[in-house]
Amino acid sequence: MKVIIRLQLKCCGLFYFHDNGHRGTATAGGWRASVAWFKFKTVRNLVYTALSHYIIGGVMEFKVVHRGVDSLYVSYRGSMKEGVLDYLESRKQLARSDDLEEQAQAVLNISGHHFEVWAKGSGIFSYVIDDNWFRISIAGAGSKKLPALYVQIRSELLNCRGVEESMKSLRCVVDELLVGNYEEKVSRIDIFVDFVSEFNFDSIKRESWITQAKNIQQFWDGNDFTGWTIGRRSGDILARLYDKTVELGISNKEFFKELWRSNGWQEGQRVIRLEFALKKGLLSLLGVFTVTEVLEKLNDLWKMCTQEWLRFGVNNGTENRTRWETESVWVCIQEVTFNDKGYSGIKREVSRSRSPDIKRLYLNGLGYLLTYAALKGYNSTNLLEAAKSFLRDAGTYLDACVLNDDKAKKDFEDSMDYVDKKINVKKKRFNMPDNDVPF
């Protein structure tokens, strides 16, 4: 038997909000009932906050293991510092070169970052610089209507250092690119909650989503349910409800497991994420323009998303779906709060370098070496000799390629020259500091 917490108020006149997210009314004669409702809600919120998880009907568990901001896009209007655009254009041309040595010079070193400069822009922006903290799109010289910079702050930085520290680091970079007195505005924010629940989310029927959105899609990977999206990607608001543990197998964002463990998650438990992407058009209507305003109104934004814009209802036989009760697990979701005590994650260092996945690097590299060892008759007792032999044979093969290819002869002196130049290109791609190109 599910526990449903409700209070019926038969009033009209003054505004209040039902648990289902719909606005009701109250007269002066209903003040006493309204006060009782307020006290009841306050006590209930305290209970929800105090408990680390909820057991509903003795069967379903709901436990928050992480919450916060997973994506933040910020735009800047202002004037570029002298020489920046000329430098970026020269690096962009080097990135387009067929010469590996020139490609390796397509970097921008500022404020402790070793940004890769892309060979082409992104959409309407002429230049892009990128590392593991920030992706920065930069407008060209004649783009008066565009913001000078459009920045995506990476998920790992936001989750492991928090929004305020991430913005502090970003402004240090922006100060190197723009003249002072620039304008900073939020263009998009993704707020989320990660939770453990035994509720069967693939059993939800489409009509149970009570929402203003017209576009609702369910996703499967074979026979496995992976999630829902509510809303359009091109719209001002989009909701995603999906299995985050499955997604980690694709994205390799293993740092989330560290964050989850700090809040009681155990290996093997399925984590569900509910996430809302809110874009500039909606944020402007809500009077949210700056990062400070976003942080101050996170709780209000979450309530708007989970109570007014989207709700998971239970069919109670009423034809009008807006009068359906709110499913118990969704009540728990509605009561999630943010910024109670500031940043709530695990503070740890986040590398600026976009290093490859170490697990894949070792497994793939070892796989190739073991294949070579098997072909050449080596085994585990002389695997080091197999590695040395592999490098010698690879060098011989590359030397032959250089000797027999006219273009390769022009570009590389020998196999070691090829290796050095390829390493430098990889360093650029991974934002390693060895490519010391002054700016």
Side-chain angles (χ1 to χ4, degrees), residues 214-393:
K214 304 298 182 185
N215 190 49
I216 301 176
Q217 294 183 339
Q218 191 176 20
F219 294 90
W220 297 78
D221 183 7
N223 293 324
D224 298 325
F225 168 76
T226 56
W228 291 86
T229 62
I230 297 99
R232 297 188 181 278
R233 294 185 182 277
S234 59
D236 284 330
I237 180 169
L238 175 71
R240 304 183 192 91
L241 180 74
Y242 62 96
D243 189 328
K244 188 65 177 178
T245 42
V246 171
E247 192 269 344
L248 287 192
I250 301 170
S251 66
N252 295 307
K253 295 179 179 179
E254 293 295 311
F255 61 86
F256 276 116
K257 291 185 177 180
E258 182 182 356
L259 294 164
W260 295 342
R261 285 191 192 97
S262 69
N263 290 297
W265 174 78
Q266 297 179 357
E267 192 74 42
Q269 286 183 310
R270 183 175 75 158
V271 175
I272 301 296
R273 168 168 291 195
L274 176 63
E275 180 177 70
F276 292 92
L278 310 177
K279 294 185 180 178
K280 183 179 178 180
L282 176 64
L283 295 173
S284 298
L285 287 174
L286 298 173
V288 178
F289 300 98
T290 67
V291 175
T292 300
E293 289 169 342
V294 164
L295 293 178
E296 289 175 349
K297 297 182 179 181
L298 272 183
N299 290 329
D300 294 331
L301 292 173
W302 186 256
K303 288 179 181 178
M304 183 275 296
C305 291
T306 60
Q307 295 182 16
E308 298 179 33
W309 189 79
L310 177 66
R311 189 169 61 85
F312 174 20
V314 180
N315 190 341
N316 58 8
T318 305
E319 187 175 341
N320 185 347
R321 294 191 303 121
T322 62
R323 295 182 179 178
W324 288 5
E325 299 170 346
T326 301
E327 171 60 57
S328 302
V329 68
W330 198 262
V331 173
C332 297
I333 288 171
Q334 290 175 333
E335 296 298 334
V336 172
T337 57
F338 300 79
N339 290 339
D340 298 333
K341 297 178 182 178
Y343 174 68
S344 59
I346 292 178
K347 296 267 186 176
R348 69 170 179 81
E349 292 301 318
V350 179
S351 174
R352 294 179 174 90
S353 302
R354 292 171 296 169
S355 302
D357 181 66
I358 296 299
K359 180 180 178 180
R360 290 186 180 183
L361 176 66
Y362 287 142
L363 289 178
N364 292 342
L366 189 58
Y368 288 123
L369 177 59
L370 294 179
T371 299
Y372 176 86
L375 291 173
K376 295 294 185 177
Y378 291 96
N379 55 46
S380 61
T381 61
N382 53 6
L383 195 58
L384 183 58
E385 289 302 317
K388 293 178 180 178
S389 178
F390 172 81
L391 291 175
R392 285 195 300 268
D393 288 352

Side-chain angles (χ1 to χ4, degrees), residues 380-423:
S380 61
T381 61
N382 53 6
L383 195 58
L384 183 58
E385 289 302 317
K388 293 178 180 178
S389 178
F390 172 81
L391 291 175
R392 285 195 300 268
D393 288 352
T396 301
Y397 174 80
L398 289 174
D399 281 334
C401 290
V402 171
L403 289 173
N404 295 322
D405 187 288
D406 291 336
K407 187 178 183 307
K409 285 181 183 178
K410 181 180 178 181
D411 293 338
F412 312 110
E413 296 177 6
D414 53 28
S415 61
M416 289 301 100
D417 185 43
Y418 169 84
V419 168
D420 285 337
K421 289 178 178 177
K422 288 293 285 187
I423 287 175

